[in-house]
Amino acid sequence: MSERKNEPPKNELYQWSVVSALVDGVASNGLPMSELLAHGDHGLGTFRGMQGELIVLDGTGFQMRHDGTTRPVDLSVQGDVTPFGMVTRFAPTTTTTAHISAKDGVDALLDSLAPEARNTHLAFRLDGAFRRITCRTAEGQCFEGEGLTAVVGRQASITLGPARGTVVGFRAPEFLQGVAVAGVHMHFIDDARCAGGHVLALETEGEVRVQVAEIWRSVIDLPRGDRQFNEAPMKLDAEGIRRAEG
Amino acid sequence: MSERKNEPPKNELYQWSVVSALVDGVASNGLPMSELLAHGDHGLGTFRGMQGELIVLDGTGFQMRHDGTTRPVDLSVQGDVTPFGMVTRFAPTTTTTAHISAKDGVDALLDSLAPEARNTHLAFRLDGAFRRITCRTAEGQCFEGEGLTAVVGRQASITLGPARGTVVGFRAPEFLQGVAVAGVHMHFIDDARCAGGHVLALETEGEVRVQVAEIWRSVIDLPRGDRQFNEAPMKLDAEGIRRAEG
């Protein structure tokens, strides 16, 4: 993690750990947020114990918690860690505006804006007014090692709207299911930085600004020296991930 | 590809494309071998049209062809390309000697030598005498887009031995099936650099030298601007990969 002293390259994905580890409940340790944020200014992930949702927006990270509160991440050495996070230094190559009537519309919109990037990562961002946007925030593990599917089974979801804010997202190709979340994966935070979470449904109010970047290089660091990670069975549970993160 | 002017970091995996692309027959284009070899000195992969097997040993690449011939890779701009390759700058952290009586023994040996790296990549190398070693060399695609399983269905396999030579291998965790080849994946070349291929079976003659390195960071580049890659369905075919590359 310490090799990259300089500004990270644009539109390269940096990822800490893999979604399959969360599925197996590997969430007791992680990368300090300061190290994650050194790799990018746009991203998402979770916290120790899967306590809430991480959004990284213009270089600032926020934790959106199950109790509805939101706070900036703690960048101190002893502060927040992420057991799973992905970030990029976002430099959009396509910018437009669009009305989006449902979550599925995001996938279709990305297909039309990046038709030559079907089988690679996309980073994207939506800014503007949302008529309704449904967000979940994970409560966190009830016990060490509790798996993602069980944790998300207790999720709180709220529907905001009308609300102004930003969606930060990635789309991963199907063959990366388990490494990342295949398909569209996005987190929202409102302009007041008070409310948001993992996006389950959305409809925009008129047109929002849409920015997209294609990502052709990924860097994945795995958690060295983490016994919980080392001992996890880590079999691919594609259907479990779709249910939990889709 | 052009960002890394300096020596690559030790024991970081650099990978071009993914095995799922070979499964879908994406093998008409690729990364020039000179660029692959800039990222590491130890590795394996294939060639345009899946014509034979690539082994990278001490920084030199060789193509082992279906007709039993072997040649150094062409590093010229117009030379060989790889549609799938993985390399590292190999700096072994464990060196020992061992007798290995069967291919399964390699996996067990790696478990014992790197017990804290069950869920990450290992790079390894075996040097010495082999009582018998069975290698296959892919003949290559009969038509553009022919998939890996069909190509490998026509493989030639030969059993060498007694033979002195080197096995270059990686072991990938199960959750990376489709990105890489899950489990042990190894290519062999004899000391004369005349014969070898993808290892299907082996038994050592007495003890061979065993070197292992743990790999905690992977860099994956996907083929930008490759229409064949972009249009491939790229669904995970775990069983097909196990049959073809296991």
Side-chain angles (χ1 to χ4, degrees):
Chain A
M1 273 56 64
S2 56
E3 294 97 329
R4 294 161 181 265
K5 299 283 183 216
N6 305 324
E7 207 165 38
K10 293 176 183 172
N11 298 335
E12 172 176 312
L13 177 65
Y14 175 81
Q15 184 174 325
W16 174 261
S17 195
V18 291
V19 168
S20 289
L22 292 185
V23 171
D24 284 351
V26 178
S28 298
N29 306 295
L31 185 71
M33 286 290 177
S34 58
E35 295 191 33
L36 184 72
L37 293 182
H39 291 284
D41 55 15
H42 167 111
L44 41 76
T46 188
F47 290 79
R48 193 197 300 272
M50 302 189 214
Q51 305 261 346
E53 313 288 336
L54 167 69
I55 188 169
V56 180
L57 183 66
D58 297 325
T60 302
F62 296 93
Q63 182 183 24
M64 300 178 287
R65 291 180 287 203
H66 184 258
D67 63 4
T69 62
T70 294
R71 66 174 181 93
V73 301
D74 179 352
L75 297 175
S76 71
V77 174
Q78 300 298 323
D80 291 319
V81 300
T82 181
F84 173 81
M86 45 202 297
V87 294
T88 191
R89 185 174 156 216
F90 187 56
T93 47
T94 300
T95 299
T96 185
T97 58
H99 174 258
I100 303 168
S101 58
K103 190 179 171 192
D104 287 352
V106 175
D107 195 42
L109 177 65
L110 294 173
D111 275 342
S112 73
L113 294 176
E116 293 176 355
R118 278 189 45 188
N119 278 324
T120 195
H121 284 286
L122 296 176
F124 64 92
R125 176 173 168 158
L126 312 176
D127 286 278
F130 295 82
R131 184 189 304 268
R132 351 164 266 106
I133 185 160
T134 305
C135 302
R136 77 110 197 275
T137 43
E139 184 180 2
Q141 292 172 309
C142 278
F143 53 88
E144 197 170 356
E146 189 182 25
L148 176 68
T149 310
V151 171
V152 167
R154 289 191 307 276
Q155 71 190 4
S157 87
I158 51 164
T159 297
L160 307 169
R164 292 192 64 86
T166 299
V167 167
V168 166
F170 289 99
R171 187 176 75 174
E174 184 69 25
F175 62 87
L176 290 178
Q177 183 69 294
V179 176
V181 174
V184 166
H185 182 194
M186 50 192 169
H187 290 184
F188 171 77
I189 192 165
D190 68 0
D191 278 353
R193 309 294 182 244
C194 283
H198 172 98
V199 178
L200 299 175
L202 65 77
E203 179 187 355
T204 66
E205 178 76 48
E207 296 200 326
V208 293
R209 186 163 73 140
V210 178
Q211 297 178 89
V212 183
E214 299 178 9
I215 293 182
W216 295 93
R217 171 171 286 184
S218 309
V219 177
I220 302 174
D221 278 338
L222 295 176
R224 182 176 197 164
D226 182 332
R227 180 185 296 189
Q228 198 184 32
F229 178 80
N230 193 50
E231 294 178 356
M234 303 281 274
K235 304 297 179 197
L236 178 63
D237 176 13
E239 184 48 35
I241 297 169
R242 260 189 290 274
R243 279 201 312 274
E245 297 292 327
Chain B
M1 274 57 66
S2 55
E3 293 97 325
R4 295 162 184 265
K5 299 285 182 217
N6 304 324
E7 206 165 39
K10 293 175 182 171
N11 299 335
E12 172 175 312
L13 176 66
Y14 175 81
Q15 184 175 326
W16 175 260
S17 195
V18 291
V19 168
S20 289
L22 292 185
V23 171
D24 284 351
V26 177
S28 298
N29 306 295
L31 185 72
M33 285 290 177
S34 58
E35 295 192 33
L36 184 71
L37 293 181
H39 290 284
D41 54 16
H42 167 109
L44 42 76
T46 188
F47 290 79
R48 194 196 300 271
M50 302 188 215
Q51 305 261 346
E53 312 289 336
L54 167 69
I55 188 169
V56 179
L57 184 65
D58 297 325
T60 303
F62 297 92
Q63 182 182 24
M64 300 178 286
R65 291 179 289 203
H66 185 258
D67 63 5
T69 63
T70 294
R71 66 173 182 92
V73 303
D74 179 352
L75 296 175
S76 71
V77 175
Q78 300 298 322
D80 292 319
V81 300
T82 181
F84 173 81
M86 47 202 296
V87 294
T88 191
R89 185 175 156 216
F90 187 55
T93 46
T94 300
T95 299
T96 187
T97 59
H99 173 257
I100 303 168
S101 57
K103 190 181 171 193
D104 287 352
V106 175
D107 195 41
L109 177 65
L110 294 173
D111 275 342
S112 72
L113 294 175
E116 293 177 354
R118 279 188 46 190
N119 278 324
T120 194
H121 283 285
L122 296 176
F124 64 92
R125 176 173 168 159
L126 312 176
D127 286 277
F130 295 82
R131 185 188 305 268
R132 357 164 259 104
I133 185 160
T134 304
C135 301
R136 79 111 198 277
T137 43
E139 184 179 3
Q141 292 173 309
C142 278
F143 53 89
E144 196 170 356
E146 189 182 25
L148 176 68
T149 310
V151 171
V152 167
R154 290 191 306 277
Q155 70 191 4
S157 88
I158 50 163
T159 298
L160 308 169
R164 290 193 64 86
T166 300
V167 167
V168 166
F170 289 99
R171 187 176 75 174
E174 184 68 26
F175 63 87
L176 290 178
Q177 183 68 293
V179 175
V181 175
V184 167
H185 182 194
M186 48 192 172
H187 290 184
F188 171 78
I189 192 164
D190 68 0
D191 278 352
R193 309 294 182 245
C194 282
H198 172 98
V199 178
L200 299 175
L202 64 78
E203 179 187 355
T204 66
E205 179 76 49
E207 295 201 324
V208 294
R209 186 163 72 141
V210 179
Q211 296 177 91
V212 183
E214 299 178 9
I215 293 181
W216 296 93
R217 172 171 285 183
S218 310
V219 178
I220 302 173
D221 278 338
L222 295 176
R224 183 176 196 163
D226 182 333
R227 181 184 296 188
Q228 199 184 29
F229 178 81
N230 194 50
E231 293 178 355
M234 303 281 275
K235 302 300 180 197
L236 177 63
D237 177 12
E239 184 47 36
I241 297 169
R242 260 188 291 273
R243 278 201 312 273
E245 298 291 329

